[in-house]
Amino acid sequence: MVTFAYLSTVEPPVKDGKPICKQVVPDESLYIRYAPILADYSRGMQDEKQKEEIKRQIAGWSALTKNIMIWDYNVNYNDYLWYLPNLSYLKQNMLTYKQMGARYIMKQGANNVSPIWHDDLHAYVCSKLFWDTDADVDKLVKEYVSLYFGAGAEKVQSYLDEMENLYGEL
């Protein structure tokens, strides 16, 4: 059984990091699918600039159960075609979800527009991190760019580095 922690149900029933009563602790057969839709996805979930409510929710759901499923977002809903500077946070988020005990992670991209060129890059890096959270993201990005873009890889890598540096600082 799965219940959805999303929008109006995203707040865990905890106070001071503990369940508000024993009746709110999920049964072992119940999973919580946590979807932090209001998170800043250009930041890591534990980043100092991440919204405090997101950090609180992660801590709260972690205090209630290890039966966590994650519905993660890999999209800038304000501008689908604009660059989402999250390559440097993908690993941090995977480690956060792993520490929560996540047994399922779904990463949602833009489903109502044509594929965006860097969606495949994100899918490649995330698929590798799903198998090995110790993987080196920079190495995975360079590997993908080299294999996919061939002779143009150096220019694409330079562009990615520039975008991550520029927009990751906002």
Side-chain angles (χ1 to χ4, degrees), residues 62-82:
S62 296
L64 282 175
T65 184
K66 288 298 180 194
N67 288 350
I68 299 285
M69 300 170 85
I70 301 295
W71 186 317
D72 195 45
Y73 296 91
N74 199 40
V75 61
N76 176 354
Y77 286 112
N78 296 318
D79 191 342
Y80 288 139
L81 300 178
W82 195 244

Side-chain angles (χ1 to χ4, degrees), residues 10-12 14 16-17 34 45-46 51-63:
V10 76
E11 288 296 331
V14 297
D16 299 325
Y34 172 58
M45 292 298 154
Q46 298 297 332
K51 297 175 183 177
E52 288 302 318
E53 67 189 274
I54 301 302
K55 294 179 196 177
R56 186 184 70 252
Q57 290 166 4
I58 288 171
W61 288 116
S62 296

Side-chain angles (χ1 to χ4, degrees), residues 3-60:
T3 190
F4 205 12
Y6 180 75
L7 288 178
S8 64
T9 59
V10 76
E11 288 296 331
V14 297
K15 184 175 182 180
D16 299 325
K18 296 184 184 197
I20 58 172
C21 64
K22 65 181 180 177
Q23 287 80 10
V24 300
V25 176
D27 184 81
E28 290 180 14
S29 63
L30 180 66
Y31 282 76
I32 306 298
R33 182 180 292 172
Y34 172 58
I37 191 169
L38 299 177
D40 177 353
Y41 281 92
S42 67
R43 309 261 175 239
M45 292 298 154
Q46 298 297 332
D47 187 84
E48 64 183 29
K49 294 180 182 176
Q50 183 57 261
K51 297 175 183 177
E52 288 302 318
E53 67 189 274
I54 301 302
K55 294 179 196 177
R56 186 184 70 252
Q57 290 166 4
I58 288 171

Side-chain angles (χ1 to χ4, degrees), residues 7 23 51 68 77 83 87 95 117 127 134 154 160:
L7 288 178
Q23 287 80 10
K51 297 175 183 177
I68 299 285
Y77 286 112
Y83 189 78
L87 288 171
L95 290 170
W117 73 269
S127 69
D134 292 326
E154 188 175 320
L160 283 171

